[in-house]
Amino acid sequence: MSLGVRRPPALERISPPSQVHLDVREDIRRGQEPFARIMATVKALGPEQALVLRAPFEPVPLLAALGKRGFAHWIDQSAPDDWTVWFYREPGATGHAAQAEPAITSADRDTLVVDVRGLDPPEPMVRVLERLDALRPGQRIVVLHERRPMLLYPQLEDRGFTHETEELEPGLVRIVVRYPAPPS
């Protein structure tokens, strides 16, 4: 069942070698968060490639997040717990769709401040995880958020980062994320 929507012609032009398949159904059944794995796969996609994602449900927040990055999607549901979502770029589309970038400043050479207030979920987590890729031992990111990002914390811990959260006032939370310095 394709939710009553005919397969877009753009998908017919994507050859099998350009289809990057990722099945996260088992991850989700085991209680693991596949978001970082999905975003790493998306980040590695070439301009002519498509992500073919299998999930046990319709990943609505992901549809919005990747839509803001310039990806169209098509959904095929073959069973109540088996969804295939194609994420692809329309011919002629370029880069990311327009979206306000979070404010990023550098307080000093070892501190990066990222303000993700006002972004729709899961975009704040996406932006923070992207910034972590460039972080070096001893450096830190200060994230300004509207609320405690509960799904971000396990992602940070899995990558070996430490974090401290402080609620400064209603609607303003500061999270300090540190890349542990190597032992001396």
Side-chain angles (χ1 to χ4, degrees):
M1 163 178 124
S2 61
L3 303 179
V5 179
R6 203 169 62 92
R7 186 180 171 106
L11 292 182
E12 302 303 326
R13 293 187 286 273
I14 299 171
S15 66
S18 294
Q19 300 169 13
V20 177
H21 293 263
L22 180 61
D23 190 337
V24 298
R25 292 174 297 169
E26 209 42 53
D27 294 347
I28 293 170
R29 286 185 189 109
R30 287 191 307 257
Q32 296 175 333
E33 171 58 56
F35 185 74
R37 192 169 147 217
I38 293 167
M39 294 312 293
T41 303
V42 168
K43 188 175 182 179
L45 287 177
E48 302 299 319
Q49 290 183 305
L51 171 62
V52 183
L53 179 71
R54 297 274 303 271
F57 53 82
E58 182 180 11
V60 175
L62 188 62
L63 303 178
L66 293 183
K68 291 176 183 176
R69 292 172 167 265
F71 285 89
H73 66 270
W74 181 74
I75 301 171
D76 183 34
Q77 182 184 13
S78 55
D81 63 348
D82 189 6
W83 296 68
T84 302
V85 184
W86 289 69
F87 292 100
Y88 62 97
R89 294 176 184 94
E90 290 284 356
T94 59
H96 300 326
Q99 163 145 359
E101 285 291 321
I104 301 171
T105 59
S106 181
D108 58 51
R109 69 182 190 96
D110 291 326
T111 303
L112 182 68
V113 179
V114 181
D115 187 345
V116 296
R117 293 174 291 175
L119 297 177
D120 294 329
E123 204 59 35
M125 184 162 69
V126 171
R127 301 294 171 95
V128 171
L129 292 176
E130 286 176 348
R131 300 301 182 264
L132 292 178
D133 290 341
L135 208 58
R136 295 185 313 272
Q139 291 186 319
R140 67 184 183 162
I141 294 176
V142 175
V143 179
L144 300 177
H145 206 306
E146 296 165 339
R147 62 191 160 282
R148 290 178 179 266
M150 301 310 289
L151 296 177
L152 175 64
Y153 297 141
Q155 298 292 326
L156 296 173
E157 292 159 7
D158 288 349
R159 290 172 170 77
F161 291 94
T162 61
H163 56 87
E164 299 166 12
T165 300
E166 180 182 11
E167 292 190 39
L168 301 175
E169 60 186 57
L172 179 57
V173 174
R174 178 176 52 205
I175 305 107
V176 179
V177 180
R178 288 185 176 82
Y179 193 113
S184 321

